[in-house]
Amino acid sequence: VTYDGYGYTWDGVSWSSPAQLDSTAHQGTTTALACAATDMCFATGEAGDVNDFTGTWQQPTLVDDGHYLVAISCSPQGSFCMTADNSGYVLTTDGTSWTAPEPADPAIGGLDGVSCPSRSFCMAVDATGHELTWDGEHWSAPVTFDPHGITGPVSCPSSRFCAATDTQGEALIWAG
């Protein structure tokens, strides 16, 4: 997806023509993209909207009114995705409906990244340099992860390894 709200698909040979994700122009800027399967992708927007891809792009669904969705991650096992907003809340989906926003740690503020290699493990990072982990039911207390306090995206291929980058050009490694 592009920043200005167009989606493309790859069929193994070539890219599709652009498809406008939101014909109502409500979504605004596209902020993140994640796919759990070839026919299950989600694009998040700055207006709290999520566009589903189920072979074609669907019109957006408002899932987090008044909040900017900053990141989304889907487990490779399929049918579990989590999105994070700029107020420290997360929402999850099983591919059919989204939960209401739930606090990961709203006292700290907005989240900057989330990565979920499974339904029972996710890591979220924030701009103050903290990481929080999800065990499938509860969030851990925030732990200082980045001494500079400005963490960017995070990626976790497993519950034992995550990597994040910061605005200082450093890579941070978490090994469980």
Side-chain angles (χ1 to χ4, degrees), residues 146 148-152 165-170 172:
D146 186 355
H148 299 295
I150 306 172
T151 305
T165 57
D166 69 16
T167 58
Q168 304 296 311
E170 295 177 338
L172 301 120

Side-chain angles (χ1 to χ4, degrees), residues 3-31:
Y3 185 72
D4 58 350
Y6 287 89
Y8 297 82
T9 56
W10 174 256
D11 65 8
V13 178
S14 62
W15 288 99
S16 69
S17 298
Q20 189 174 11
L21 299 183
D22 184 359
S23 63
T24 66
H26 181 257
Q27 182 175 7
T29 303
T30 302
T31 56

Side-chain angles (χ1 to χ4, degrees), residues 46-66:
E46 66 182 4
D49 291 356
V50 175
N51 284 87
D52 298 14
F53 178 83
T54 57
T56 59
W57 286 104
Q58 307 301 308
Q59 285 299 303
T61 301
L62 181 63
V63 298
D64 197 5
D65 193 18

Side-chain angles (χ1 to χ4, degrees), residues 32-34 70-74 82 84 111-117 121-127 130-133 139 145-146 150-158 161-166 170-175:
L33 170 72
V70 297
I72 189 166
S73 179
C74 295
M82 180 180 284
L111 297 170
D112 284 343
V114 64
S115 184
C116 300
F121 179 83
C122 295
M123 177 179 277
V125 295
D126 68 21
H130 294 95
E131 59 86 0
L132 303 95
T133 55
W139 284 98
F145 183 55
D146 186 355
I150 306 172
T151 305
V154 62
S155 181
C156 304
S158 76
F161 180 85
C162 297
T165 57
D166 69 16
E170 295 177 338
L172 301 120
I173 305 300
W174 182 85

